[in-house]
Amino acid sequence: MTAAVTSHPLDSDAARIRSGTAGLPEETDVLVIGLGITGAGVALDAASRGQRVVAVDAFDLAFGTSRWSSKLVHGGLRYLARLQLGVAHESAVERGILMERTAPHLTHAMPMLLPLMSSVKHTQAALAATGFVAGDMLRRGAHTSRETLPRPRRISRTEALALAPTLRRAGLRGGLLSWDGQLEDDARLVTCIARTAVAHGADVRNHARVVSATGSGAVLRDERTGAETTIRAKKVINATGVWAASIVDVDLKPSRGTHLVLRASTLPGLTTAVTAPIPGSTNRFALVLPQPDGTLYVGLTDEEVEGEIPDVPEPSEAEIGFLLDVVAAAFDRPLHRSDVIGAYAGLRPLLRSDGSTSDLSREHAVLVSETGVITIVGGKLTTYRQMAEDAVDATGLADGRCRTRELPLLGAADRGRLAALEEPARLVRRFGTEAALVLQNARTVTGLADDELLAPIADTVPVTLAELVFGVTHEGAVDVDDLLDRRTRVGLVPADRELAVPAAERALQLAAIHMTSQM
Protein backbone atom coordinates (compact mmCIF):
# COMPACT_ATOMS: atom_id res chain seq x y z
CA MET A 1 0.00 0.00 0.00
CA THR A 2 1.04 3.61 -0.59
CA ALA A 3 2.62 5.20 2.48
CA ALA A 4 0.42 7.74 4.25
CA VAL A 5 1.44 11.38 4.20
CA THR A 6 0.98 13.14 7.53
CA SER A 7 0.73 16.91 7.37
CA HIS A 8 3.09 18.73 9.71
CA PRO A 9 1.81 21.45 12.09
CA LEU A 10 3.60 24.31 10.35
CA ASP A 11 2.30 27.82 9.72
CA SER A 12 2.50 27.70 5.94
CA ASP A 13 1.04 31.20 5.63
CA ALA A 14 4.14 32.49 7.42
CA ALA A 15 6.49 30.62 5.08
CA ARG A 16 7.47 33.55 2.89
CA ILE A 17 10.59 33.82 0.75
CA ARG A 18 12.22 37.25 0.74
CA SER A 19 14.32 39.17 -1.73
CA GLY A 20 17.68 40.89 -1.28
CA THR A 21 19.87 41.13 1.78
CA ALA A 22 18.06 43.58 4.07
CA GLY A 23 17.64 42.18 7.56
CA LEU A 24 19.94 39.19 7.10
CA PRO A 25 21.64 37.98 10.29
CA GLU A 26 25.34 38.66 10.74
CA GLU A 27 26.05 34.98 11.29
CA THR A 28 24.46 31.60 10.72
CA ASP A 29 25.25 27.91 11.07
CA VAL A 30 24.93 27.02 7.38
CA LEU A 31 25.11 29.36 4.39
CA VAL A 32 23.75 27.76 1.22
CA ILE A 33 24.75 29.29 -2.11
CA GLY A 34 22.33 28.52 -4.96
CA LEU A 35 18.58 27.97 -4.92
CA GLY A 36 18.09 25.35 -7.56
CA ILE A 37 16.68 21.98 -6.57
CA THR A 38 19.85 20.96 -4.70
CA GLY A 39 20.34 24.21 -2.81
CA ALA A 40 16.70 24.32 -1.77
CA GLY A 41 17.00 20.71 -0.66
CA VAL A 42 20.12 21.48 1.38
CA ALA A 43 18.35 24.41 3.07
CA LEU A 44 15.41 22.18 4.03
CA ASP A 45 17.60 19.32 5.26
CA ALA A 46 19.76 21.55 7.46
CA ALA A 47 16.84 23.59 8.81
CA SER A 48 14.79 20.49 9.60
CA ARG A 49 17.71 19.20 11.67
CA GLY A 50 17.65 22.37 13.77
CA GLN A 51 20.46 24.32 12.12
CA ARG A 52 20.29 28.06 11.52
CA VAL A 53 20.23 28.40 7.74
CA VAL A 54 20.60 31.25 5.27
CA ALA A 55 20.15 30.30 1.60
CA VAL A 56 20.75 32.77 -1.23
CA ASP A 57 20.71 32.99 -5.00
CA ALA A 58 22.04 35.74 -7.24
CA PHE A 59 19.01 35.50 -9.50
CA ASP A 60 15.94 33.59 -8.37
CA LEU A 61 14.62 30.23 -7.27
CA ALA A 62 15.07 27.61 -10.00
CA PHE A 63 16.79 30.15 -12.25
CA GLY A 64 19.28 27.64 -13.65
CA THR A 65 19.16 23.97 -14.60
CA SER A 66 16.29 23.14 -12.26
CA ARG A 67 13.71 24.77 -14.54
CA TRP A 68 14.98 23.23 -17.75
CA SER A 69 14.35 19.53 -17.08
CA SER A 70 11.93 17.07 -18.72
CA LYS A 71 9.69 17.45 -15.64
CA LEU A 72 10.13 13.73 -14.98
CA VAL A 73 10.95 11.87 -11.78
CA HIS A 74 13.08 9.14 -13.30
CA GLY A 75 13.35 5.66 -11.87
CA GLY A 76 16.86 4.96 -13.14
CA LEU A 77 16.19 2.62 -16.08
CA ARG A 78 18.64 4.44 -18.33
CA TYR A 79 21.42 4.03 -15.77
CA LEU A 80 20.59 0.37 -15.25
CA ALA A 81 21.21 -0.19 -18.97
CA ARG A 82 24.73 1.21 -18.47
CA LEU A 83 25.30 -0.96 -15.38
CA GLN A 84 25.38 2.15 -13.17
CA LEU A 85 23.57 0.15 -10.51
CA GLY A 86 24.08 2.53 -7.62
CA VAL A 87 22.62 5.52 -9.48
CA ALA A 88 19.75 3.39 -10.81
CA HIS A 89 18.76 2.17 -7.34
CA GLU A 90 19.15 5.61 -5.79
CA SER A 91 16.94 7.12 -8.51
CA ALA A 92 14.22 4.53 -7.94
CA VAL A 93 14.29 5.06 -4.18
CA GLU A 94 14.13 8.84 -4.46
CA ARG A 95 11.34 8.65 -7.03
CA GLY A 96 9.28 6.62 -4.58
CA ILE A 97 9.97 9.06 -1.75
CA LEU A 98 8.76 11.99 -3.85
CA MET A 99 5.66 10.26 -5.19
CA GLU A 100 4.49 8.57 -2.00
CA ARG A 101 5.79 10.58 0.94
CA THR A 102 7.10 14.08 0.35
CA ALA A 103 5.34 15.46 -2.73
CA PRO A 104 2.33 13.43 -3.95
CA HIS A 105 0.62 16.74 -4.79
CA LEU A 106 3.33 17.66 -7.32
CA THR A 107 3.83 14.23 -8.90
CA HIS A 108 1.80 11.65 -10.76
CA ALA A 109 2.32 8.47 -12.73
CA MET A 110 3.11 8.98 -16.42
CA PRO A 111 2.42 6.15 -18.90
CA MET A 112 5.25 5.81 -21.41
CA LEU A 113 4.70 4.03 -24.71
CA LEU A 114 7.43 2.56 -26.88
CA PRO A 115 5.69 1.93 -30.24
CA LEU A 116 6.80 -1.27 -31.91
CA MET A 117 7.22 0.07 -35.44
CA SER A 118 8.93 -1.57 -38.36
CA SER A 119 12.12 0.27 -37.44
CA VAL A 120 12.14 -1.51 -34.06
CA LYS A 121 13.40 -5.02 -34.77
CA HIS A 122 12.14 -7.98 -32.74
CA THR A 123 15.52 -8.34 -31.02
CA GLN A 124 15.42 -4.65 -30.02
CA ALA A 125 11.86 -5.06 -28.75
CA ALA A 126 12.89 -8.07 -26.67
CA LEU A 127 15.83 -6.13 -25.24
CA ALA A 128 13.57 -3.17 -24.38
CA ALA A 129 11.00 -5.47 -22.75
CA THR A 130 13.75 -7.01 -20.62
CA GLY A 131 14.84 -3.51 -19.62
CA PHE A 132 11.32 -2.58 -18.56
CA VAL A 133 11.07 -5.70 -16.41
CA ALA A 134 14.39 -4.77 -14.83
CA GLY A 135 13.02 -1.26 -14.24
CA ASP A 136 10.02 -2.77 -12.46
CA MET A 137 12.43 -4.72 -10.28
CA LEU A 138 13.98 -1.37 -9.36
CA ARG A 139 10.53 -0.14 -8.37
CA ARG A 140 9.95 -3.16 -6.17
CA GLY A 141 13.44 -2.89 -4.68
CA ALA A 142 12.65 0.72 -3.78
CA HIS A 143 9.38 -0.44 -2.14
CA THR A 144 7.26 1.78 -4.39
CA SER A 145 3.68 0.57 -4.60
CA ARG A 146 2.30 -0.94 -7.80
CA GLU A 147 -0.69 1.31 -7.13
CA THR A 148 1.65 4.29 -7.59
CA LEU A 149 3.48 2.88 -10.63
CA PRO A 150 1.84 -0.08 -12.42
CA ARG A 151 3.82 -2.92 -13.95
CA PRO A 152 5.03 -2.63 -17.57
CA ARG A 153 3.29 -4.74 -20.20
CA ARG A 154 3.04 -5.43 -23.89
CA ILE A 155 -0.05 -3.87 -25.50
CA SER A 156 -1.81 -4.47 -28.79
CA ARG A 157 -1.82 -2.23 -31.84
CA THR A 158 -5.37 -1.19 -30.97
CA GLU A 159 -4.39 -0.16 -27.44
CA ALA A 160 -1.35 1.73 -28.70
CA LEU A 161 -3.49 3.74 -31.13
CA ALA A 162 -6.05 4.45 -28.41
CA LEU A 163 -3.30 6.01 -26.28
CA ALA A 164 -1.61 7.78 -29.20
CA PRO A 165 -4.02 8.11 -32.17
CA THR A 166 -1.51 9.91 -34.40
CA LEU A 167 1.15 7.18 -34.30
CA ARG A 168 2.47 6.05 -37.67
CA ARG A 169 0.19 3.15 -38.50
CA ALA A 170 2.22 1.53 -41.25
CA GLY A 171 4.20 -1.32 -39.71
CA LEU A 172 2.88 -0.71 -36.18
CA ARG A 173 2.49 -4.05 -34.43
CA GLY A 174 1.77 -2.92 -30.85
CA GLY A 175 3.76 -1.33 -28.09
CA LEU A 176 5.51 -1.65 -24.75
CA LEU A 177 3.83 0.34 -21.98
CA SER A 178 5.79 1.29 -18.88
CA TRP A 179 5.37 3.91 -16.14
CA ASP A 180 7.52 6.62 -14.61
CA GLY A 181 6.93 9.69 -12.46
CA GLN A 182 6.07 13.12 -13.82
CA LEU A 183 6.29 16.47 -12.05
CA GLU A 184 3.61 19.10 -12.30
CA ASP A 185 6.48 21.54 -12.74
CA ASP A 186 10.16 21.36 -11.80
CA ALA A 187 10.38 25.02 -10.76
CA ARG A 188 7.24 24.61 -8.65
CA LEU A 189 8.95 21.73 -6.80
CA VAL A 190 11.95 23.95 -6.07
CA THR A 191 9.70 26.74 -4.80
CA CYS A 192 7.76 24.33 -2.60
CA ILE A 193 10.96 22.91 -1.08
CA ALA A 194 12.30 26.41 -0.43
CA ARG A 195 9.08 27.51 1.32
CA THR A 196 9.11 24.31 3.38
CA ALA A 197 12.66 25.20 4.44
CA VAL A 198 11.40 28.64 5.51
CA ALA A 199 8.61 26.96 7.50
CA HIS A 200 11.35 25.07 9.37
CA GLY A 201 13.25 28.28 10.15
CA ALA A 202 15.51 28.89 7.14
CA ASP A 203 16.01 32.42 5.80
CA VAL A 204 15.70 32.06 2.01
CA ARG A 205 16.60 35.02 -0.23
CA ASN A 206 16.61 35.46 -3.99
CA HIS A 207 18.39 38.33 -5.79
CA ALA A 208 21.25 38.12 -3.27
CA ARG A 209 24.57 37.47 -5.00
CA VAL A 210 27.65 35.94 -3.40
CA VAL A 211 30.55 38.22 -4.35
CA SER A 212 33.14 36.05 -2.61
CA ALA A 213 33.06 33.09 -0.26
CA THR A 214 35.28 31.04 2.02
CA GLY A 215 34.49 28.17 4.33
CA SER A 216 33.63 30.64 7.09
CA GLY A 217 31.37 33.12 5.35
CA ALA A 218 30.70 35.29 2.35
CA VAL A 219 30.27 38.79 1.03
CA LEU A 220 26.76 39.26 -0.39
CA ARG A 221 25.40 41.93 -2.71
CA ASP A 222 21.74 42.87 -2.91
CA GLU A 223 21.06 42.75 -6.65
CA ARG A 224 18.18 45.20 -6.34
CA THR A 225 19.91 47.92 -4.28
CA GLY A 226 23.61 47.21 -4.76
CA ALA A 227 24.20 47.13 -1.01
CA GLU A 228 26.90 44.73 0.20
CA THR A 229 26.98 42.86 3.49
CA THR A 230 29.14 40.20 5.11
CA ILE A 231 27.78 37.08 6.76
CA ARG A 232 29.73 34.65 8.92
CA ALA A 233 28.89 30.95 8.80
CA LYS A 234 30.11 27.83 10.52
CA LYS A 235 29.82 26.04 7.19
CA VAL A 236 29.30 27.21 3.60
CA ILE A 237 27.72 24.89 1.01
CA ASN A 238 28.12 25.64 -2.69
CA ALA A 239 25.09 24.24 -4.54
CA THR A 240 25.35 26.27 -7.74
CA GLY A 241 25.45 23.34 -10.17
CA VAL A 242 27.19 24.08 -13.46
CA TRP A 243 28.27 27.44 -12.01
CA ALA A 244 30.09 25.81 -9.07
CA ALA A 245 33.48 26.81 -10.48
CA SER A 246 32.57 30.48 -10.00
CA ILE A 247 32.81 29.85 -6.24
CA VAL A 248 35.57 27.23 -5.95
CA ASP A 249 37.91 25.31 -8.23
CA VAL A 250 36.01 22.26 -9.52
CA ASP A 251 36.35 20.40 -12.82
CA LEU A 252 32.99 19.89 -14.51
CA LYS A 253 32.05 18.75 -18.00
CA PRO A 254 28.60 20.22 -18.64
CA SER A 255 26.27 18.90 -21.31
CA ARG A 256 23.30 20.66 -22.86
CA GLY A 257 19.88 19.05 -23.03
CA THR A 258 17.36 20.73 -25.32
CA HIS A 259 13.55 20.43 -25.34
CA LEU A 260 10.94 21.71 -27.77
CA VAL A 261 7.46 22.94 -26.83
CA LEU A 262 4.50 22.13 -29.10
CA ARG A 263 0.78 22.70 -28.72
CA ALA A 264 -1.10 19.56 -27.70
CA SER A 265 -3.21 20.00 -30.85
CA THR A 266 -0.11 19.24 -32.93
CA LEU A 267 -0.47 15.55 -31.99
CA PRO A 268 -4.13 15.40 -30.90
CA GLY A 269 -5.45 12.77 -28.52
CA LEU A 270 -2.07 11.92 -26.99
CA THR A 271 -2.64 10.57 -23.47
CA THR A 272 0.74 8.92 -22.95
CA ALA A 273 4.37 9.86 -23.32
CA VAL A 274 5.82 8.39 -26.50
CA THR A 275 9.37 7.07 -26.65
CA ALA A 276 11.08 7.23 -30.03
CA PRO A 277 14.40 5.38 -30.46
CA ILE A 278 17.31 7.54 -31.63
CA PRO A 279 18.84 5.98 -34.75
CA GLY A 280 22.18 4.31 -34.14
CA SER A 281 21.71 4.02 -30.37
CA THR A 282 20.42 1.10 -28.32
CA ASN A 283 19.60 3.00 -25.12
CA ARG A 284 18.89 6.60 -26.11
CA PHE A 285 15.43 7.87 -26.93
CA ALA A 286 13.58 11.04 -27.75
CA LEU A 287 10.45 11.65 -25.70
CA VAL A 288 7.12 13.32 -26.40
CA LEU A 289 5.70 14.34 -23.03
CA PRO A 290 2.11 15.65 -22.65
CA GLN A 291 1.80 18.47 -20.11
CA PRO A 292 -1.22 19.50 -18.03
CA ASP A 293 -1.26 23.00 -19.56
CA GLY A 294 -2.12 21.94 -23.11
CA THR A 295 1.43 21.64 -24.43
CA LEU A 296 3.84 18.85 -25.35
CA TYR A 297 7.54 18.74 -24.53
CA VAL A 298 9.87 17.00 -26.96
CA GLY A 299 13.37 16.10 -25.82
CA LEU A 300 16.15 15.37 -25.12
CA THR A 301 19.54 16.09 -26.67
CA ASP A 302 22.95 15.60 -25.10
CA GLU A 303 25.54 18.04 -26.46
CA GLU A 304 28.92 18.79 -24.90
CA VAL A 305 29.41 22.39 -23.78
CA GLU A 306 32.76 24.10 -23.92
CA GLY A 307 33.82 27.56 -22.81
CA GLU A 308 32.04 30.05 -20.59
CA ILE A 309 28.80 28.89 -18.96
CA PRO A 310 25.89 31.18 -19.96
CA ASP A 311 23.31 32.30 -17.40
CA VAL A 312 20.55 31.13 -19.75
CA PRO A 313 21.62 28.49 -22.30
CA GLU A 314 20.07 28.55 -25.75
CA PRO A 315 19.05 25.58 -27.93
CA SER A 316 20.72 25.32 -31.30
CA GLU A 317 18.81 25.00 -34.57
CA ALA A 318 20.66 21.73 -35.19
CA GLU A 319 19.23 20.27 -31.96
CA ILE A 320 15.74 21.48 -32.82
CA GLY A 321 15.91 19.89 -36.25
CA PHE A 322 17.31 16.65 -34.82
CA LEU A 323 14.49 16.27 -32.30
CA LEU A 324 11.82 17.02 -34.90
CA ASP A 325 13.27 14.42 -37.28
CA VAL A 326 13.52 11.68 -34.64
CA VAL A 327 10.01 12.21 -33.28
CA ALA A 328 8.36 12.71 -36.67
CA ALA A 329 9.42 9.18 -37.64
CA ALA A 330 6.99 7.80 -35.02
CA PHE A 331 3.91 9.74 -36.15
CA ASP A 332 1.74 9.95 -39.26
CA ARG A 333 1.53 13.73 -39.04
CA PRO A 334 4.64 15.51 -40.30
CA LEU A 335 6.29 17.86 -37.81
CA HIS A 336 7.63 21.18 -39.04
CA ARG A 337 9.74 23.96 -37.57
CA SER A 338 6.61 26.11 -37.47
CA ASP A 339 5.04 23.63 -35.01
CA VAL A 340 7.67 24.61 -32.42
CA ILE A 341 6.15 27.35 -30.23
CA GLY A 342 9.03 27.36 -27.76
CA ALA A 343 12.36 25.71 -26.99
CA TYR A 344 14.59 25.59 -23.94
CA ALA A 345 17.94 24.16 -22.94
CA GLY A 346 19.47 23.16 -19.62
CA LEU A 347 23.02 22.28 -18.60
CA ARG A 348 23.81 19.13 -16.65
CA PRO A 349 26.58 19.59 -14.02
CA LEU A 350 28.48 16.39 -14.84
CA LEU A 351 31.78 15.54 -13.21
CA ARG A 352 34.58 15.45 -15.77
CA SER A 353 35.98 12.06 -16.78
CA ASP A 354 36.93 10.27 -19.96
CA GLY A 355 34.21 9.65 -22.54
CA SER A 356 31.29 11.60 -23.99
CA THR A 357 28.81 13.43 -21.79
CA SER A 358 26.08 10.95 -22.73
CA ASP A 359 28.15 8.21 -21.11
CA LEU A 360 29.06 10.05 -17.92
CA SER A 361 27.64 8.84 -14.64
CA ARG A 362 24.98 10.91 -12.88
CA GLU A 363 26.55 10.14 -9.52
CA HIS A 364 27.04 13.14 -7.27
CA ALA A 365 30.04 14.12 -5.20
CA VAL A 366 30.69 16.22 -2.11
CA LEU A 367 33.95 18.14 -2.38
CA VAL A 368 35.72 20.40 0.13
CA SER A 369 37.87 23.30 -1.09
CA GLU A 370 41.12 24.52 0.48
CA THR A 371 39.20 27.27 2.28
CA GLY A 372 36.60 24.82 3.57
CA VAL A 373 33.71 25.49 1.16
CA ILE A 374 31.64 22.32 0.74
CA THR A 375 30.52 21.82 -2.87
CA ILE A 376 27.83 19.39 -3.98
CA VAL A 377 27.92 18.62 -7.72
CA GLY A 378 26.74 16.01 -10.20
CA GLY A 379 23.52 14.10 -9.66
CA LYS A 380 20.14 14.96 -11.10
CA LEU A 381 16.80 16.41 -10.12
CA THR A 382 15.29 13.12 -8.93
CA THR A 383 18.11 12.49 -6.46
CA TYR A 384 18.25 16.02 -5.03
CA ARG A 385 17.16 14.88 -1.54
CA GLN A 386 19.98 12.36 -1.17
CA MET A 387 22.45 14.94 -2.48
CA ALA A 388 21.25 17.42 0.12
CA GLU A 389 21.51 14.84 2.89
CA ASP A 390 25.10 14.03 1.95
CA ALA A 391 26.05 17.71 1.80
CA VAL A 392 24.57 18.46 5.23
CA ASP A 393 26.20 15.33 6.69
CA ALA A 394 29.55 16.68 5.44
CA THR A 395 29.20 19.81 7.60
CA GLY A 396 29.51 17.76 10.77
CA LEU A 397 27.10 20.19 12.45
CA ALA A 398 23.90 18.19 12.42
CA ASP A 399 23.73 15.83 15.37
CA GLY A 400 20.24 14.58 14.54
CA ARG A 401 19.56 12.21 11.68
CA CYS A 402 18.22 13.44 8.35
CA ARG A 403 14.42 13.86 8.44
CA THR A 404 13.66 14.53 4.78
CA ARG A 405 12.88 10.94 3.78
CA GLU A 406 9.60 11.24 5.65
CA LEU A 407 9.07 14.99 5.79
CA PRO A 408 6.11 16.16 3.65
CA LEU A 409 6.56 19.36 1.68
CA LEU A 410 4.05 22.14 2.18
CA GLY A 411 0.78 21.16 0.53
CA ALA A 412 1.53 17.42 0.54
CA ALA A 413 -1.16 14.86 1.41
CA ASP A 414 -2.05 11.34 0.38
CA ARG A 415 -3.76 11.05 -2.99
CA GLY A 416 -7.14 10.25 -1.46
CA ARG A 417 -7.15 13.48 0.51
CA LEU A 418 -5.94 15.46 -2.49
CA ALA A 419 -8.73 14.04 -4.63
CA ALA A 420 -11.30 15.11 -2.04
CA LEU A 421 -10.23 18.77 -2.05
CA GLU A 422 -12.89 21.07 -3.51
CA GLU A 423 -10.63 23.91 -4.63
CA PRO A 424 -10.00 24.39 -8.39
CA ALA A 425 -8.12 21.46 -9.90
CA ARG A 426 -5.26 23.61 -11.20
CA LEU A 427 -4.57 25.05 -7.75
CA VAL A 428 -4.72 21.59 -6.16
CA ARG A 429 -2.25 20.23 -8.73
CA ARG A 430 0.20 23.04 -8.07
CA PHE A 431 -0.31 23.73 -4.36
CA GLY A 432 -1.99 20.65 -2.89
CA THR A 433 -3.64 21.35 0.45
CA GLU A 434 -2.41 24.95 0.24
CA ALA A 435 -4.87 25.62 -2.60
CA ALA A 436 -7.32 27.18 -0.14
CA LEU A 437 -4.54 29.42 1.26
CA VAL A 438 -3.63 30.59 -2.25
CA LEU A 439 -7.21 31.58 -3.00
CA GLN A 440 -7.89 33.19 0.38
CA ASN A 441 -4.64 35.14 0.13
CA ALA A 442 -5.68 36.50 -3.27
CA ARG A 443 -9.09 37.52 -1.91
CA THR A 444 -7.46 39.37 1.00
CA VAL A 445 -4.79 41.08 -1.09
CA THR A 446 -6.93 42.13 -4.06
CA GLY A 447 -10.52 42.33 -2.82
CA LEU A 448 -11.58 40.73 -6.13
CA ALA A 449 -14.23 38.06 -6.66
CA ASP A 450 -13.28 34.42 -7.21
CA ASP A 451 -14.42 34.48 -10.85
CA GLU A 452 -11.77 37.07 -11.65
CA LEU A 453 -9.09 35.50 -9.47
CA LEU A 454 -9.52 32.02 -10.99
CA ALA A 455 -10.09 32.86 -14.66
CA PRO A 456 -7.29 31.89 -17.08
CA ILE A 457 -5.28 35.03 -17.81
CA ALA A 458 -5.40 34.33 -21.58
CA ASP A 459 -7.01 31.83 -23.93
CA THR A 460 -3.83 29.74 -24.21
CA VAL A 461 -2.56 30.47 -20.68
CA PRO A 462 -4.34 28.59 -17.84
CA VAL A 463 -2.42 30.51 -15.15
CA THR A 464 -4.66 32.45 -12.75
CA LEU A 465 -4.32 35.83 -11.06
CA ALA A 466 -4.63 34.08 -7.67
CA GLU A 467 -1.41 32.12 -8.15
CA LEU A 468 0.45 35.16 -9.51
CA VAL A 469 -0.48 37.13 -6.40
CA PHE A 470 0.70 34.25 -4.20
CA GLY A 471 3.97 34.25 -6.12
CA VAL A 472 4.52 37.83 -4.98
CA THR A 473 3.27 37.61 -1.40
CA HIS A 474 4.72 34.21 -0.42
CA GLU A 475 7.22 33.03 -3.02
CA GLY A 476 9.61 35.97 -3.34
CA ALA A 477 8.71 37.08 -6.87
CA VAL A 478 9.63 40.73 -7.39
CA ASP A 479 9.18 41.23 -11.12
CA VAL A 480 7.47 39.93 -14.24
CA ASP A 481 10.36 37.58 -15.03
CA ASP A 482 10.12 35.89 -11.62
CA LEU A 483 6.38 35.35 -12.09
CA LEU A 484 6.25 34.21 -15.70
CA ASP A 485 9.54 32.35 -16.05
CA ARG A 486 9.83 30.58 -12.67
CA ARG A 487 6.67 30.71 -10.52
CA THR A 488 4.73 29.74 -13.62
CA ARG A 489 6.18 28.44 -16.88
CA VAL A 490 4.44 30.80 -19.26
CA GLY A 491 7.81 32.02 -20.48
CA LEU A 492 8.47 28.71 -22.23
CA VAL A 493 6.17 29.95 -25.01
CA PRO A 494 7.15 33.51 -26.02
CA ALA A 495 3.76 34.27 -27.62
CA ASP A 496 1.95 33.23 -24.44
CA ARG A 497 4.38 35.20 -22.30
CA GLU A 498 3.52 38.38 -24.18
CA LEU A 499 -0.18 37.80 -23.48
CA ALA A 500 0.52 37.18 -19.78
CA VAL A 501 2.62 40.27 -19.03
CA PRO A 502 -0.35 42.53 -18.16
CA ALA A 503 -1.65 40.00 -15.61
CA ALA A 504 1.79 39.68 -14.02
CA GLU A 505 2.13 43.46 -13.80
CA ARG A 506 -1.33 43.66 -12.26
CA ALA A 507 -0.45 41.03 -9.62
CA LEU A 508 2.70 42.94 -8.67
CA GLN A 509 0.73 46.20 -8.43
CA LEU A 510 -2.09 44.71 -6.35
CA ALA A 511 0.37 43.12 -3.94
CA ALA A 512 2.32 46.38 -3.62
CA ILE A 513 -0.85 48.34 -2.84
CA HIS A 514 -1.84 45.80 -0.21
CA MET A 515 1.59 45.82 1.44
CA THR A 516 1.59 49.64 1.51
CA SER A 517 -1.81 49.66 3.15
CA GLN A 518 -0.54 47.33 5.88
CA MET A 519 2.36 49.59 6.83
Side-chain angles (χ1 to χ4, degrees), residues 326-344:
V326 171
V327 169
F331 292 91
D332 268 336
R333 183 198 185 282
L335 296 179
H336 305 291
R337 183 63 176 84
S338 58
D339 292 319
V340 179
I341 59 171
Y344 63 90

Side-chain angles (χ1 to χ4, degrees), residues 17-24 35 55-57 203-208:
I17 293 162
R18 293 188 284 172
S19 183
T21 62
L24 274 177
L35 285 171
V56 300
D57 194 285
D203 192 338
V204 175
R205 306 291 188 102
N206 59 359
H207 302 288

Side-chain angles (χ1 to χ4, degrees), residues 76-243:
L77 180 58
R78 178 179 177 183
Y79 313 109
L80 191 65
R82 295 176 183 162
L83 299 181
Q84 296 175 5
L85 304 184
V87 177
H89 175 69
E90 182 177 86
S91 297
V93 169
E94 295 301 323
R95 176 185 63 183
I97 290 172
L98 270 166
M99 297 188 73
E100 295 188 341
R101 302 178 204 168
T102 62
H105 58 316
L106 298 177
T107 59
H108 61 267
M110 166 66 86
M112 307 192 77
L113 174 64
L114 172 61
L116 298 179
M117 305 174 292
S118 56
S119 60
V120 180
K121 305 304 180 187
H122 288 279
T123 52
Q124 290 177 297
L127 182 62
T130 301
F132 291 148
V133 170
D136 193 54
M137 292 176 64
L138 282 175
R139 173 194 64 79
R140 284 182 286 170
H143 305 292
T144 302
S145 167
R146 191 168 59 187
E147 180 182 334
T148 300
L149 291 171
R151 289 177 177 173
R153 62 187 179 91
R154 171 80 179 256
I155 64 173
S156 68
R157 183 177 188 272
T158 301
E159 289 177 290
L161 290 171
L163 292 170
T166 51
L167 282 177
R168 187 178 297 278
R169 294 172 180 250
L172 181 67
R173 59 184 188 274
L176 297 174
L177 186 67
S178 61
W179 297 80
D180 214 338
Q182 184 180 36
L183 285 168
E184 169 70 21
D185 178 356
D186 45 10
R188 172 108 328 256
L189 176 64
V190 175
T191 304
C192 185
I193 295 168
R195 284 191 59 243
T196 308
V198 174
H200 284 273
D203 192 338
V204 175
R205 306 291 188 102
N206 59 359
H207 302 288
R209 180 181 295 274
V210 170
V211 177
S212 61
T214 67
S216 58
V219 176
L220 306 178
R221 183 175 68 233
D222 189 314
E223 291 294 86
R224 301 181 69 202
T225 68
E228 290 194 357
T229 186
T230 299
I231 184 170
R232 299 186 302 276
K234 294 179 181 177
K235 295 292 180 180
V236 175
I237 298 179
N238 174 20
T240 54
V242 291
W243 297 275

Side-chain angles (χ1 to χ4, degrees), residues 392-416:
V392 175
D393 283 347
T395 67
L397 296 177
D399 295 330
R401 70 176 184 86
C402 174
R403 297 177 55 201
T404 56
R405 278 179 174 263
E406 307 292 339
L407 188 66
L409 302 181
L410 291 180
D414 63 70
R415 298 189 187 277

Side-chain angles (χ1 to χ4, degrees), residues 30-34 38-39 42 210 213-215 235-252 349-351 363-379 386-395:
V30 179
L31 172 65
V32 183
I33 308 172
T38 307
V42 170
V210 170
T214 67
K235 295 292 180 180
V236 175
I237 298 179
N238 174 20
T240 54
V242 291
W243 297 275
S246 66
I247 306 294
V248 298
D249 184 18
V250 59
D251 195 11
L252 299 178
L350 304 178
L351 292 166
E363 290 182 345
H364 62 270
V366 178
L367 312 172
V368 182
S369 73
E370 291 182 358
T371 67
V373 175
I374 298 169
T375 296
I376 177 72
V377 288
Q386 185 63 59
M387 295 170 66
E389 179 181 342
D390 291 347
V392 175
D393 283 347
T395 67

